[in-house]
Amino acid sequence: MYSNYFGLTEPPFSLAPDPRYLYLSEQHREALAHLLYGIGCNGGFVLLTGEVGTGKTTVCRCLLEQLPENTDLAVILNPKFTVLELLAAVCDELEAPYESSENRVKTYVDAINTHLLQAHALGRNTVLIIDEAQNLSVDVLEQVRLLTNLETSKRKLLQIVLLGQPELLEKLSRPELRQLEQRITARHHLTALSQAELGAYVSHRLSVAGLEGQLFPPSTLKRLYRLTGGVPRLINILCDRALLGTFVQRDTRVEVPTLVKAAKEVYGDKHQYRPKPLSYLKWGVGGATLAGLSTFLLFSLNAMGFFNQPVSNVEESTQAHIIASQSQSQSVVVNPLVEATVSGAVKATKMPEMEISNPANWRWPEDADLALSKVTAYQSLFKAWGIDYAPREHPTVCRFSRSLGLGCLSLHGDMDELRQLNRPAVLKLFNAQGQEYYVTLLSTEGERGVVEVGGQRKEVHLKDLELWWLRTYTLLWRQPPGYDTPIRPGASGQTVAWLDQQLSFLQGRAPLPEGELTYDGSLIRQVQQFQRSQGLTADAVVGPQTSIHLNTATAEDVPQLIVNPQS
């Protein structure tokens, strides 16, 4: 319902365990590594546990995408079975035929064993995955253990993965299950996301769904963590409901009151999900102190001349056409650092000579409205790419960029992270009145940078800029041909051909024949090696950040943020 309103290609917070949306936090990457290691071991159990909604099933789905092609898979999703029912379900999943018999346990086990031997003779491996394994009785778990006794003289024939809630750990600690517990070759326990990871998680899901802007400000993300405790499933539920509420209210981003209202609708009056109120004493003393400090700070900043005139409080909008009619009289200064062409732009070669400016002293032109800062900032960003941006004709920035083959990436981060991506970016800053506005960071050299603000170029110390920066930024990046979603192992087509061409250029080898290309094997290892060399997560998923680094490394015709990488 709200996807088109926010410029999203699909709902970003669906509860379906879509591997495209898997946010690989450090612990999720470790969990996936444990599962892959365990699958590669010769028999035994692999154990993945975690609280409800922490991402066990989603990690498992990601695992399935990385299993070798010679793997036969049996998945049990509802394990509230008796011994006979479980064995029958395994036979059905493996398509192992069996005949009626009085000794049905032996019949099922023999059928499974015959199937495993035949698969082994064909060079195939068999994996059994049991979800919600905490629901298995002790008798059924013991029977599952006995299945790992099916073997040849050299190797086990069945690898078993158990997914479950923390109760499964308690159950496996029982003395009668000690033999099963001893056969666990790899294990990992997932916990909730940290507050820092929550922001990255939300940004990741919005980016996969075609993010058009920053929909959750820092204050809302902070409250979201208090309401969910960092549990991904709860985050998805609340974010989805909050986006719906924001859509109904025709707002442009999710504010704290909207999120709190969504929480009440989802949780009702459950006390544990209510925001924790401050005590009367804390509010009276702390609030007064904070108010006094804020008054002093604003007085000081105004005395410094941060703005020479008060700026009207204009509601921010992600739809540039709302204010585009006011921007016709605004002239946009073309960035002289970048020599742009219609087909693209070239990197800057030197910093201009200009006086260092302090953001605390910046003044808006007298005839410029604060709300226009977003329009002029994006016009400047597109100009760096050699593109004229007309907000009236293209009100949605990122949709316009995608029509030109450019991705639109919005993130939270610091200056080091932005410089690592090495692209000009639109930054969100604040002023002495607490209002937010936008500037374009065009280039950096050492500790200095050049920004365009209100149609004027200014050189700043990056440390001064960071004092007024809200740590959110949006940049453009050149997408691979045919790019729709991140390139994952098993993919084929023109995106994989592009990927091989990039790597072949870096390695000084000839590209592989396009008709035979599949993203697997050697190509996966090459991507992981490149990701490690760039300080990226070596997950073999080629998304925006890996693509950006590849474009930079192959010297594609793209504007770059860093003028002199050695400085």
Side-chain angles (χ1 to χ4, degrees):
M1 178 181 293
Y2 57 71
S3 295
N4 289 336
Y5 177 77
F6 291 113
L8 300 166
T9 58
E10 58 187 327
F13 296 104
S14 169
L15 294 181
D18 187 341
R20 291 185 303 130
Y21 283 93
L22 175 62
Y23 169 69
L24 288 174
S25 67
E26 182 177 352
Q27 62 164 328
H28 284 86
R29 291 195 297 269
E30 186 176 349
L32 184 58
H34 276 76
L35 291 178
L36 289 170
Y37 169 78
I39 292 293
C41 292
N42 184 17
F45 289 89
V46 179
L47 181 65
L48 178 63
T49 56
E51 289 289 351
V52 175
T54 51
K56 301 183 294 298
T57 302
T58 306
V59 169
C60 187
R61 293 292 177 90
C62 188
L63 168 70
L64 299 185
E65 288 193 347
Q66 301 189 37
L67 290 177
E69 292 184 358
N70 66 333
T71 302
D72 292 330
L73 190 65
V75 180
I76 306 297
L77 298 176
N78 181 22
K80 291 186 177 181
F81 292 142
T82 65
V83 169
L84 292 176
E85 289 171 338
L86 177 70
L87 292 174
V90 174
C91 287
D92 293 339
E93 280 287 308
L94 295 176
E95 298 183 356
Y98 54 89
E99 299 178 356
S100 299
S101 171
E102 293 184 0
N103 190 349
R104 296 177 64 191
V105 171
K106 183 178 185 304
T107 300
Y108 291 137
V109 173
D110 287 346
I112 294 171
N113 190 42
T114 299
H115 175 86
L116 294 177
L117 288 171
Q118 292 173 347
H120 175 68
L122 296 174
R124 303 191 64 80
N125 301 317
T126 305
V127 176
L128 169 62
I129 297 179
I130 303 178
D131 200 0
E132 302 295 344
Q134 76 278 354
N135 293 325
L136 295 175
S137 67
V138 172
D139 290 342
V140 175
L141 281 170
E142 176 61 16
Q143 181 59 61
V144 171
R145 179 190 71 81
L146 293 175
L147 290 178
T148 61
N149 289 336
L150 303 177
E151 59 189 358
T152 66
S153 58
K154 294 184 177 180
R155 57 167 297 170
K156 300 284 186 181
L157 296 176
L158 183 64
Q159 181 72 62
I160 300 176
V161 179
L162 299 178
L163 309 179
Q165 297 172 23
E167 298 92 307
L168 178 59
L169 296 174
E170 299 176 9
K171 187 170 289 187
L172 293 177
S173 66
R174 297 182 182 181
E176 58 267 38
L177 290 175
R178 63 184 181 279
Q179 293 187 67
L180 189 157
E181 208 275 341
Q182 291 170 359
R183 294 193 183 188
I184 297 174
T185 56
R187 66 178 74 206
H188 190 84
H189 183 74
L190 287 173
T191 58
L193 300 174
S194 67
Q195 186 168 343
E197 290 172 332
L198 179 143
Y201 173 84
V202 170
S203 294
H204 169 76
R205 294 191 72 98
L206 289 170
S207 177
V208 173
L211 173 70
E212 298 294 353
Q214 184 57 46
L215 301 181
F216 291 80
S219 58
T220 303
L221 292 174
K222 184 176 180 180
R223 181 61 64 89
L224 180 63
Y225 181 75
R226 291 176 59 189
L227 291 168
T228 64
V231 176
R233 183 176 300 170
L234 298 181
I235 295 171
N236 288 355
I237 293 172
L238 274 192
C239 285
D240 180 72
R241 185 64 64 90
L243 284 175
L244 178 60
T246 302
F247 161 71
V248 170
Q249 296 166 190
R250 291 299 190 267
D251 287 337
T252 58
R253 63 180 190 175
V254 181
E255 302 293 354
V256 171
T258 304
L259 179 67
V260 172
K261 182 179 179 181
K264 291 179 179 178
E265 293 173 353
V266 171
Y267 300 128
D269 292 327
K270 295 180 180 179
H271 175 74
Q272 62 267 36
Y273 296 113
R274 291 179 179 173
K276 297 179 180 179
L278 294 172
S279 68
Y280 178 82
L281 179 61
K282 289 182 179 178
W283 179 255
V285 177
T289 303
L290 181 59
L293 179 60
S294 299
T295 301
F296 172 78
L297 178 60
L298 292 177
F299 177 84
S300 301
L301 293 175
N302 280 316
M304 293 167 61
F306 183 77
F307 282 102
N308 61 344
Q309 292 184 4
V311 184
S312 59
N313 188 6
V314 181
E315 181 178 357
E316 178 188 350
S317 172
T318 58
Q319 301 295 325
H321 69 280
I322 295 177
I323 56 177
S325 60
Q326 306 174 44
S327 68
Q328 300 306 307
S329 63
Q330 299 299 314
S331 61
V332 179
V333 179
V334 178
N335 176 17
L337 303 179
V338 179
E339 203 173 32
T341 64
V342 174
S343 61
V346 295
K347 65 183 76 173
T349 56
K350 64 179 181 178
M351 290 278 284
E353 294 295 333
M354 63 178 74
E355 183 180 352
I356 295 290
S357 175
N358 190 327
N361 298 321
W362 286 351
R363 291 179 172 85
W364 285 98
E366 293 183 1
D367 58 346
D369 192 331
L370 179 63
L372 293 175
S373 67
K374 194 168 191 177
V375 172
T376 57
Y378 278 110
Q379 286 178 318
S380 177
L381 181 63
F382 278 109
K383 205 62 146 177
W385 286 82
I387 299 168
D388 289 328
Y389 172 54
R392 267 188 168 181
E393 299 175 13
H394 306 285
T396 309
V397 170
C398 293
R399 187 173 296 165
F400 172 63
S401 71
R402 284 200 297 269
S403 71
L404 301 173
L406 297 177
C408 189
L409 182 63
S410 296
L411 296 171
H412 289 276
D414 58 25
M415 188 60 66
D416 289 338
E417 293 168 344
L418 175 54
R419 281 164 63 91
Q420 186 182 32
L421 292 173
N422 198 14
R423 294 291 181 273
V426 170
L427 312 185
K428 182 185 290 188
L429 277 66
F430 66 97
N431 63 23
Q433 286 74 37
Q435 298 166 320
E436 298 173 359
Y437 66 101
Y438 296 83
V439 305
T440 310
L441 181 61
L442 296 171
S443 62
T444 66
E445 184 174 10
E447 298 302 319
R448 298 181 301 148
V450 170
V451 303
E452 190 163 299
V453 50
Q456 299 179 4
R457 286 186 298 112
K458 299 179 183 293
E459 185 175 355
V460 299
H461 286 298
L462 295 178
K463 289 183 178 179
D464 292 336
L465 181 65
E466 288 187 275
L467 292 175
W468 303 96
W469 180 30
L470 291 171
R471 299 299 190 273
T472 64
Y473 58 89
T474 300
L475 55 82
L476 303 177
W477 61 283
R478 179 158 294 164
Q479 295 180 325
Y483 183 91
D484 183 29
T485 59
I487 310 170
R488 297 179 179 275
S492 58
Q494 58 181 331
T495 56
V496 179
W498 170 87
L499 179 59
D500 178 67
Q501 290 170 2
Q502 303 293 296
L503 294 170
S504 65
F505 177 85
L506 293 176
Q507 298 165 5
R509 62 171 174 82
L512 298 173
E514 186 172 340
E516 304 174 8
L517 271 178
T518 302
Y519 186 24
D520 57 12
S522 174
L523 201 55
I524 290 177
R525 290 190 291 273
Q526 293 174 47
V527 169
Q528 290 176 321
Q529 182 178 358
F530 175 79
Q531 289 174 324
R532 282 191 289 267
S533 72
Q534 301 297 308
L536 302 171
T537 301
D539 56 7
V541 177
V542 183
Q545 297 194 33
T546 300
S547 298
I548 289 170
H549 282 270
L550 281 169
N551 284 337
T552 300
T554 55
E556 283 206 4
D557 193 20
V558 294
Q560 298 186 26
L561 184 65
I562 301 177
V563 173
N564 181 3
Q566 305 303 321
S567 65

